[in-house]
Amino acid sequence: NGAGFYEIRMESIGGLGANLAGKVLAEAGVLNMGFNGSNFSSYGSEKKGSPVKAFIRFCSPDMEVRENSPVTEPHLLAIFHENLSKNIPVTQGVGPDGIVVINTSKSPDEARDFLKLHAGTIYCINALKIAIEEKTRINTALLGTICKASGFLDPDAIKDMITKNLGKKYASLIAPNLKTFDRGYNEYVLKKFKPDNKYPYIPFTRDGQKIGYFNQPMGGVIPSGGNSIFKDISASREGWIPVLDISKCTNCGECDITCPDYSFVWEDGIDPKKGKLARILKRIVYEHCKGCLRCVEICKFEALTTHKEFEVDKTILEKGFTDGSKK
Ligand code: SF4
Ligand code: SF4
């Protein structure tokens, strides 16, 4: 750009690995490819599920990096979960020459309409499917597509940095992660969209936070489902969800104590076994569920089980439970 940088912005939600992906990308560019560069992330102090932005800048080695503000008009925007666009104006600052890499099962035309993107080139990559198949994480698949889409980043330099980051401690994860990177590098679908007045250009703006230093409840408690920014944290999930089989539930309440996100809904009712007034578990609110699966671990009665989200019957997701007849 005019200041001499190639700029990348990653839009994500806590837990999907954007912070680490930004770090790996910047280290690969600076240490392995000879650029000057910088990287920092912006995220709150909350639990998993709050918005994360990672910023990466590269410039020639003879230029000093004096810029440390957020990337407002990215050459390349990476969106770690398509549902982020429901709550955050993720495409701010992307112009006709911009590149958007998005984790989605949608086609580029569908993704453009979903994002209401003014113009630019969209690279669609089903990073979630790749991560589930390779038993890795979506950030590595997205790094592969980002590398390809940039047109100048060296895949071997990034793979070397992924290997160094996993190191001896996680040596068994190196091979599947390198394969995940390669699949991200190769399995994308792209389409270029010219400005056609279908959707307006959205300039970058910085909104104030609703909860901050002066009005944050004591202890940093978030007194509602979700977080202080929005209540739908479904974009945190990495392909897996708990399913509640109400026919096996004893209403013991262990899951409710364990869930960090108030995802379980209870009502007064008559306990079918004891015939007395009791609190009865009715459903899971998937909007608040980040897919940590701690509730599945704690349930002794197999009333909660783990499933691939895209395989679960839609009526279960809407109702928040099954009576045991569907999975
Ligand atoms: S832990 Fe299992 S059995 Fe107990 S209330 Fe939760 S779902 Fe029901
Ligand atoms: S997986 Fe279970 S414990 Fe974790 S957020 Fe979802 S409902 Fe709560």
Side-chain angles (χ1 to χ4, degrees):
N1 61 12
F5 293 109
Y6 187 92
E7 298 187 322
I8 298 171
R9 186 171 82 225
M10 296 176 174
E11 294 275 358
S12 185
I13 191 164
L16 296 187
N19 187 24
L20 180 62
K23 180 172 168 280
V24 167
L25 197 58
E27 286 180 353
V30 172
L31 300 177
N32 289 353
M33 282 179 267
F35 299 117
N36 256 358
S38 67
N39 156 241
F40 69 97
S41 298
S42 144
Y43 49 87
S45 55
E46 293 170 36
K47 59 199 174 181
K48 186 175 175 180
S50 51
V52 173
K53 292 180 196 291
F55 308 106
I56 304 104
R57 286 189 170 89
F58 292 121
C59 60
S60 65
D62 54 355
M63 186 178 143
E64 291 185 346
V65 182
R66 297 285 183 196
E67 188 73 59
N68 58 7
S69 57
V71 170
T72 56
E73 293 179 358
H75 294 92
L76 193 155
L77 169 75
I79 302 171
F80 277 54
H81 198 300
E82 62 188 25
N83 283 347
L84 284 166
S85 64
K86 289 185 190 167
N87 301 301
I88 305 170
V90 285
T91 59
Q92 284 185 342
V94 177
D97 296 327
I99 293 168
V100 177
V101 172
I102 180 168
N103 169 23
T104 182
S105 58
K106 291 183 169 61
S107 69
D109 285 291
E110 290 167 339
R112 186 207 181 184
D113 288 335
F114 191 74
L115 294 171
K116 298 188 171 35
L117 184 71
H118 166 65
T121 305
I122 299 185
Y123 284 70
C124 292
I125 179 74
N126 197 339
L128 190 57
K129 179 168 172 281
I130 295 172
I132 288 174
E133 287 173 0
E134 303 300 337
K135 296 188 174 53
T136 52
R137 302 189 61 202
I138 65 159
N139 56 355
T140 316
L142 280 162
L143 275 177
T145 314
I146 290 166
C147 175
K148 180 71 180 183
S150 73
F152 71 97
L153 293 169
D154 175 8
D156 290 334
I158 300 175
K159 283 159 80 171
D160 176 66
M161 199 50 69
I162 290 170
T163 304
K164 281 181 181 149
N165 262 274
L166 290 168
K168 286 182 187 154
K169 199 171 171 192
Y170 301 109
S172 63
L173 297 179
I174 291 173
N177 271 284
L178 296 184
K179 189 173 173 201
T180 300
F181 178 92
D182 285 338
R183 290 187 63 183
Y185 192 85
N186 292 309
E187 293 184 17
Y188 61 86
V189 183
L190 84 90
K191 187 167 177 182
K192 191 171 173 57
F193 297 93
K194 291 183 181 160
D196 53 8
N197 296 321
K198 194 171 184 186
Y199 301 110
Y201 171 75
I202 305 174
F204 187 86
T205 52
R206 294 182 82 171
D207 295 332
Q209 306 284 1
K210 286 183 197 132
I211 295 183
Y213 178 78
F214 287 112
N215 59 353
Q216 178 74 38
M218 291 291 279
V221 171
I222 307 297
S224 60
N227 55 50
S228 65
I229 312 293
F230 45 67
K231 67 189 182 87
D232 182 352
I233 58 169
S234 54
S236 298
R237 295 197 293 264
E238 292 192 77
W240 304 94
I241 54 166
V243 168
L244 169 64
D245 181 346
I246 219 90
S247 67
K248 292 183 180 169
C249 177
T250 63
N251 301 304
C252 71
E254 295 271 3
C255 52
D256 197 48
I257 297 165
T258 307
C259 177
D261 284 282
Y262 311 102
S263 302
F264 292 92
V265 176
W266 297 75
E267 285 176 12
D268 284 342
I270 301 297
D271 185 309
K273 289 199 182 118
K274 296 176 188 159
K276 291 182 182 165
L277 187 66
R279 293 293 282 168
I280 307 291
L281 180 54
K282 303 305 273 190
R283 64 193 166 94
I284 296 174
V285 182
Y286 285 109
E287 200 181 32
H288 301 332
C289 170
K290 64 188 173 200
C292 69
L293 303 176
R294 287 179 209 166
C295 56
V296 177
E297 274 177 48
I298 202 77
C299 180
K300 299 183 200 81
F301 303 96
E302 295 180 356
L304 288 160
T305 44
T306 302
H307 298 263
K308 287 181 186 165
E309 183 165 352
F310 64 84
E311 288 178 357
V312 173
D313 193 278
K314 276 209 166 53
T315 56
I316 294 177
L317 296 177
E318 283 159 16
K319 287 194 302 183
F321 69 92
T322 171
D323 57 9
S325 58
K326 271 186 191 164
K327 281 276 153 64

